Amino acid sequence: VNRDEDCNLTSRHLAMTDEESVERLRRTPVQRAVSRAVYAEEYELSLRECMAEARGSGEMLKAHEAHVAQQMAHPQLGPFIRALRQLKPPRGSE
């Protein structure tokens, strides 16, 4: 069972900038709080591929875009997400 401190993103997490700390973060449930914004393009592609014919797919894409935009606009969270995005391997190199 995950405890609150295992799942909730805090200012302590937002201060993690070195690669070792980020690697530890990557292996915790907290990463779910930022993964959609860090991997925004991959999430969007997955939605398009999986839900293209489904009713409401356009609304799902808009909700995804709104969620990412809200996180990116946050004064503390946005810079943290941008820093994490810089650590991603280039697309196609996985």
Side-chain angles (χ1 to χ4, degrees):
V1 174
N2 294 321
R3 301 168 300 174
D4 285 347
E5 58 266 22
D6 296 328
C7 299
N8 296 331
L9 187 67
T10 66
S11 59
R12 177 178 54 90
H13 295 108
L14 297 178
M16 293 179 170
T17 55
D18 63 279
E19 287 189 41
E20 184 178 327
S21 294
V22 170
E23 183 60 27
R24 281 196 313 272
L25 174 68
R26 190 178 70 82
R27 289 185 245 136
T28 69
V30 173
Q31 59 82 22
R32 292 183 290 223
V34 295
S35 66
R36 190 191 305 193
V38 172
Y39 294 95
E41 296 83 6
E42 292 83 351
Y43 270 68
E44 180 178 335
L45 180 60
S46 178
L47 279 173
R48 289 183 186 282
E49 289 175 349
C50 295
M51 306 304 290
E53 303 300 319
R55 286 181 54 193
S57 62
E59 290 84 358
M60 284 185 226
L61 282 169
K62 286 179 184 175
H64 166 66
E65 292 166 359
H67 179 81
V68 170
Q70 182 179 24
Q71 286 191 318
M72 297 303 285
H74 189 277
Q76 294 167 304
L77 189 54
F80 181 66
I81 290 169
R82 283 188 280 283
L84 293 176
R85 288 176 59 83
Q86 292 297 312
L87 297 174
K88 285 185 352 180
R91 283 182 94 180
S93 68
E94 294 88 33

